[in-house]
Amino acid sequence: MRQVSRGSYLSVLNAFKGKEIHNIIIDTNSDGISVLLKNILQQQMNEYKYHYLFTSFDLEMYDLEDFKYNFVNITSFRLVDIEDVGVKQILKGLRSFQHHMFQKPQNLHVRKSISIESEPALMFDSVYVFAIGLQTLKQSHTLNLSKISCDEENPWNGGLSLINYLNAVEWKGLTGPIQFKEGQRVQFKLDLIKLKQHSIIKVGEWTPHGHLNITEPSMFFDTGFMNVTLVVITILETPYVMMHYGKNFTGNERFYGFCVDILETISHEVGFDYILDLVPDRKYGAKDPETGEWNGMVAQLMKNKADLAVGSMTITYARESVIDFTKPFMNLGISILFKVPASEPTRLFSFMNPLAIEIWIYVLIAYFLVSISIYVVGKLSPNEWKYIHPCNLDIISIGNQFSLSDSFWFTIGTLMQQSTDIYPRAMSTRIISSIWGFFSLIIVASYTANLAAFLTTERMINPIENAEDLASQTEISYGTLDSGSTMTFFRDSMIETYKKMWRSMDNKRSTAFTTTYEDGIRRVNQGNYAFLMESTMLDYIVQRDCNLTQIGGLLDTKGYGIATPKGSPWRDKISLAILELQEKGDIQMLYDKWWKNTDETCTRKSASKQSKANALGLESIGGVFVVLIAGIFVAAVVALIEFWYNFRKHHRGLSGVNAKHDLTQGVVFNSEWTYTPPNRCFWFEIFEELRFASWCMNKQKRPELNTVCNKCNFSQIPTYI
């Protein structure tokens, strides 16, 4: 509030302009209004941003030609409704009286025969009401003229009666209906008027009982197609607002992006020019819980230093309480940006992955248990014993097919779905064999069903799946943009998971929060960090960096809007333009242009296509070959052991028999003789066996000359001399 005089008008207006005060109430007498209007023109404060409310009732009496076409907002009240028929009749009578009294229209209070100032109008009505009351008093009282003195107190006896008659007067004068109650005027009204391009029009009324009633609300918000320039602030954020840093770009040409295209389209639809610039502190705007001060673009709008704020600015309750937002031009939510987890390294024994390690152990234990059970039950069951030589009555012996080694061989053959030469005969052994076969069927079927998925699908080791996993661990740090709506969401949330996440971020404020999205994305690429951000921005980043991915769904739902100062006349117009652009699909086309440009997006394989296209490599099933080679090696070692054992056994057990010689026709027969094999070493015997195997690969029989048992009888072998 400033108390001013004619000499201080200019300095006060200059101070208001420096502080960017745009809404001004002016309470001054009629003599100072003309000087004030000239000073307003000198300060160039006759633009659309300024709104002047005059308490004077005589605004129509002044020249406002220089204010009409600059769209400055001038509002005032008037007492005399010049459009009223009764008022026109009274003014016509005044003009006639003036003409007869002065022979020329010289009254300064009636101009151009269209209006009258409020003070002479009130004087006219006062005199007329007094005349009516005096005339009424004259009908009941005799009025005598007498001299009065200011020094002597001589009351007039008819004064109280005159007051009563004045309170009873009801008349419609220049200032509207006139009626008194206990000496106070009632049932009057004031017209609310507003300056438009062509004239001053009535937009509402004020009465003592109903107070203000706006009859033309559109007059306060209808900006029309004005040739005005708005100050628009923004913040750099890919792909919403980006900047050319070359010397050839100046002014608005420096900026490009999704929001810049939307702003350009809306400016053509609504009808305004704009000057686009960056917010000084590079922040969207958040309220300091301690000081209560706002920063960023919100603060600029609150101080009326900008007309619009365009960018990826989220509509929130806190911001809406201090500034206005248009209809959202994009809907989104908070999501988690995380680095794509590393693929599980392919192991040599990947074919064992379909079954857990404990299942393999249990299968091995079951194999030994069933093999021993079959061996024991086979020994106990009499049906498993049979005669070895049933036709030889001299040697009566029985045998059992389930020896310990054969029991293990039968069990492993059943497990591998292979047939063996051993078939159980007894009911007990058949029960065990059937149960083991059923067990083997389930295990083999389960293994086969999971084998393809484990070998052909690239599995990821993902440490987190949603926000709950992120809040319940401490190894992976997380954070969000400082002084943004996402930070405000976690700070004000009442959900326990989000409150826990906020406490963690607040305790690690220096490392959790980032100043820009680029800083957060860089930290995510470094690993072991999750960045909480808007889903639209996340979608843009993920489509261009295949090393990043989205974790979980949306944590909330909200929208981006264009921000304006409180009570801005541009909000509704821009909101209608946004709705029209959405219905026509223009905003969706702009979204596809900046988000789904194939020249910039990376190629990401889908899980379904990847599982069909991948061929099994050696790194996936190489373990099978290792098992095969190991089995061959073990078999070769066992064969050597068997060969060595047989060699030692027969080498020690060879003994001769006495040869009997019988000479008949030149033929010599030995009745008893001893065959001594050649004295060969173990390795030479192996060499001979391998040499024979290489020479006679298709033969299944060979002579045995170097190893004989001690029961062999060579008495019938002839010897020639």
Side-chain angles (χ1 to χ4, degrees):
M1 182 176 291
R2 298 290 185 272
Q3 185 175 3
V4 296
S5 61
R6 289 190 177 187
S8 60
Y9 283 164
L10 198 59
S11 60
V12 172
L13 289 174
N14 188 28
F16 286 173
K17 185 178 181 180
K19 295 181 179 180
E20 298 189 4
I21 297 175
H22 298 148
N23 299 323
I24 304 173
I25 300 177
I26 300 173
D27 182 17
T28 184
N29 54 31
S30 300
D31 296 336
I33 291 180
S34 58
V35 178
L36 180 62
L37 292 176
K38 292 180 181 179
N39 291 335
I40 289 175
L41 292 175
Q42 292 178 7
Q43 292 292 331
Q44 296 181 351
M45 298 174 65
N46 58 334
E47 297 179 354
Y48 72 96
K49 352 177 134 174
Y50 292 96
H51 195 158
Y52 300 98
L53 175 61
F54 288 88
T55 59
S56 173
F57 296 152
D58 301 323
L59 188 63
E60 292 177 299
M61 306 300 297
Y62 299 94
D63 185 11
L64 301 176
E65 193 69 21
D66 294 329
F67 293 86
K68 288 182 179 180
Y69 303 101
N70 288 345
F71 306 101
V72 62
N73 295 284
I74 295 180
T75 309
S76 181
F77 292 93
R78 75 180 177 191
L79 192 58
V80 181
D81 186 4
I82 59 175
E83 301 296 332
D84 186 77
V85 177
V87 174
K88 290 181 178 180
Q89 291 294 331
I90 295 175
L91 292 178
K92 183 177 180 181
L94 288 176
R95 287 195 302 271
S96 299
F97 175 77
Q98 181 183 16
H99 178 70
H100 287 88
M101 289 294 294
F102 302 100
Q103 298 300 321
K104 58 180 180 179
Q106 203 174 13
N107 193 339
L108 299 178
H109 302 298
V110 182
R111 294 181 178 178
K112 301 180 183 180
S113 303
I114 59 172
S115 183
I116 185 173
E117 292 184 4
S118 59
E119 188 172 347
L122 289 171
M123 183 62 69
F124 176 85
D125 289 346
S126 300
V127 173
Y128 209 100
V129 169
F130 184 81
I132 294 175
L134 196 61
Q135 185 179 9
T136 307
L137 178 64
K138 184 179 179 181
Q139 296 176 359
S140 58
H141 292 78
T142 302
L143 300 179
N144 296 321
L145 296 179
S146 61
K147 295 182 179 181
I148 60 174
S149 174
C150 295
D151 298 330
E152 298 179 2
E153 296 182 0
N154 295 322
W156 179 46
N157 295 330
L160 182 60
S161 299
L162 180 59
I163 291 295
N164 292 332
Y165 284 123
L166 290 177
N167 284 329
V169 171
E170 293 185 4
W171 179 69
K172 185 176 181 181
L174 290 175
T175 59
I178 299 174
Q179 185 178 354
F180 298 97
K181 182 178 182 181
E182 297 179 357
Q184 298 292 329
R185 183 173 175 178
V186 295
Q187 299 298 330
F188 70 96
K189 68 180 181 66
L190 299 175
D191 291 338
L192 180 64
I193 57 176
K194 187 175 177 64
L195 177 65
K196 301 301 290 184
Q197 288 185 350
H198 303 290
S199 63
I200 293 178
I201 61 174
K202 177 182 176 181
V203 294
E205 294 180 352
W206 185 92
T207 60
H209 301 290
H211 299 292
L212 186 62
N213 178 27
I214 303 295
T215 57
E216 299 291 339
S218 61
M219 295 300 175
F220 288 89
F221 305 103
D222 185 13
T223 57
F225 293 92
M226 303 179 183
N227 185 18
V228 296
T229 302
L230 303 182
V231 177
V232 183
I233 56 174
T234 186
I235 187 172
L236 295 180
E237 203 67 73
T238 306
Y240 301 98
V241 179
M242 295 171 283
M243 191 173 183
H244 294 295
Y245 292 97
K247 296 182 180 179
N248 297 329
F249 298 97
T250 58
N252 295 341
E253 296 178 354
R254 297 173 298 164
F255 302 96
Y256 67 102
F258 175 70
C259 289
V260 178
D261 289 349
I262 290 181
L263 178 62
E264 183 67 20
T265 306
I266 291 176
S267 67
H268 291 301
E269 291 287 336
V270 178
F272 62 84
D273 294 329
Y274 61 92
I275 299 175
L276 191 59
D277 204 355
L278 296 176
V279 62
D281 58 359
R282 302 295 192 270
K283 293 183 179 180
Y284 288 94
K287 185 178 181 180
D288 192 326
E290 297 180 358
T291 63
E293 297 292 332
W294 285 84
N295 59 12
M297 293 192 290
V298 177
Q300 296 294 311
L301 293 174
M302 292 176 63
K303 297 175 182 177
N304 292 308
K305 293 184 177 181
D307 301 303
L308 300 176
V310 177
S312 54
M313 194 170 184
T314 308
I315 303 174
T316 63
Y317 168 77
R319 291 174 179 172
E320 187 76 34
S321 62
V322 293
I323 59 175
D324 285 342
F325 278 96
T326 63
K327 297 293 183 183
F329 59 84
M330 179 177 288
N331 296 316
L332 64 147
I334 298 175
S335 191
I336 304 173
L337 180 69
F338 196 63
K339 190 174 183 180
V340 174
S343 302
E344 185 178 3
T346 304
R347 297 182 300 175
L348 193 59
F349 295 94
S350 297
F351 66 90
M352 298 184 66
N353 290 338
L355 297 180
I357 185 63
E358 58 268 17
I359 299 299
W360 288 109
I361 296 175
Y362 295 154
V363 170
L364 185 62
I365 294 174
Y367 166 67
F368 281 97
L369 180 62
V370 171
S371 299
I372 295 174
S373 299
I374 289 179
Y375 171 73
V376 174
V377 172
K379 295 296 183 182
L380 295 177
S381 177
N383 293 333
E384 292 295 341
W385 296 90
K386 65 176 182 177
Y387 290 100
I388 299 176
H389 302 287
C391 298
N392 189 356
L393 299 179
D394 296 332
I395 303 175
I396 300 177
S397 61
I398 59 177
N400 194 307
Q401 61 179 345
F402 284 108
S403 62
L404 188 60
S405 59
D406 290 339
S407 298
F408 279 94
W409 174 248
F410 172 77
T411 308
I412 195 64
T414 305
L415 181 62
M416 297 298 177
Q417 308 293 309
Q418 299 295 323
S419 60
T420 61
D421 295 336
I422 304 174
Y423 301 98
R425 297 184 180 88
M427 182 63 68
S428 57
T429 54
R430 289 181 176 179
I431 292 175
I432 297 179
S433 301
S434 301
I435 296 300
W436 175 250
F438 176 76
F439 173 83
S440 302
L441 177 65
I442 299 300
I443 293 296
V444 172
S446 302
Y447 175 82
T448 306
N450 290 337
L451 182 62
F454 273 85
L455 294 183
T456 60
T457 304
E458 183 180 1
R459 298 189 299 145
M460 305 292 183
I461 304 175
N462 204 345
I464 55 175
E465 296 291 341
N466 46 45
E468 286 74 14
D469 295 344
L470 198 62
S472 61
Q473 55 82 43
T474 57
E475 296 180 358
I476 300 174
S477 59
Y478 49 90
T480 185
L481 187 68
D482 189 19
S483 298
S485 60
T486 305
M487 185 195 76
T488 306
F489 168 78
F490 284 97
R491 185 188 65 191
D492 301 336
S493 178
M494 300 304 295
I495 301 176
E496 189 59 35
T497 300
Y498 303 153
K499 290 170 64 177
K500 183 178 179 181
M501 294 175 67
W502 168 250
R503 288 193 296 267
S504 175
M505 289 187 289
D506 195 31
N507 293 333
K508 304 175 182 177
R509 180 173 289 270
S510 59
T511 58
F513 297 111
T514 62
T515 56
T516 61
Y517 276 123
E518 287 75 12
D519 188 22
I521 295 169
R522 178 183 57 81
R523 294 184 59 184
V524 172
N525 275 315
Q526 291 176 355
N528 208 34
Y529 181 79
F531 191 56
L532 300 158
M533 60 189 302
E534 277 82 2
S535 58
T536 51
M537 187 66 184
L538 186 147
D539 186 26
Y540 179 84
I541 297 301
V542 166
Q543 292 194 34
R544 283 157 178 77
D545 191 348
C546 290
N547 294 325
L548 303 178
T549 185
Q550 177 180 346
I551 300 296
L554 301 181
L555 305 185
D556 69 338
T557 55
K558 49 193 175 184
Y560 286 155
I562 298 176
T564 65
K566 270 289 186 181
S568 173
W570 299 98
R571 184 190 64 175
D572 292 343
K573 278 286 185 181
I574 296 176
S575 295
L576 292 176
I578 290 175
L579 293 177
E580 183 180 2
L581 294 176
Q582 288 177 339
E583 291 177 359
K584 293 192 300 184
D586 292 344
I587 294 182
Q588 182 62 41
M589 288 190 293
L590 291 176
Y591 178 86
D592 295 338
K593 169 187 174 182
W594 290 101
W595 264 260
K596 300 180 181 180
N597 189 353
T598 55
D599 296 336
E600 300 178 1
T601 56
C602 64
T603 304
R604 192 186 300 268
K605 294 182 180 179
S606 63
S608 59
K609 293 181 179 179
Q610 187 175 5
S611 62
K612 295 179 181 178
N614 280 358
L616 296 179
L618 185 62
E619 64 276 3
S620 299
I621 58 174
V624 177
F625 295 95
V626 174
V627 172
L628 178 62
I629 295 173
I632 295 174
F633 177 76
V634 171
V637 172
V638 173
L640 288 176
I641 295 174
E642 291 178 345
F643 189 87
W644 175 81
Y645 178 78
N646 185 68
F647 172 79
R648 298 293 298 175
K649 177 180 179 182
H650 290 286
H651 185 73
R652 293 177 181 177
L654 291 177
S655 59
V657 295
N658 295 326
K660 296 181 179 180
H661 299 275
D662 187 4
L663 297 176
T664 306
Q665 297 180 356
V667 180
V668 179
F669 294 95
N670 294 329
S671 59
E672 290 185 2
W673 59 282
T674 302
Y675 172 77
T676 303
N679 189 12
R680 298 174 179 175
C681 67
F682 170 73
W683 297 108
F684 186 79
E685 290 288 338
I686 294 179
F687 175 75
E688 288 295 321
E689 293 289 342
L690 294 177
R691 187 167 63 90
F692 178 80
S694 62
W695 286 355
C696 308
M697 289 190 176
N698 294 328
K699 295 183 178 181
Q700 298 180 353
K701 298 180 180 181
R702 67 170 176 82
E704 186 177 21
L705 300 177
N706 57 345
T707 55
V708 294
C709 62
N710 53 6
K711 296 182 179 180
C712 296
N713 188 356
F714 294 92
S715 57
Q716 303 300 326
I717 298 177
T719 301
Y720 297 93
I721 300 176

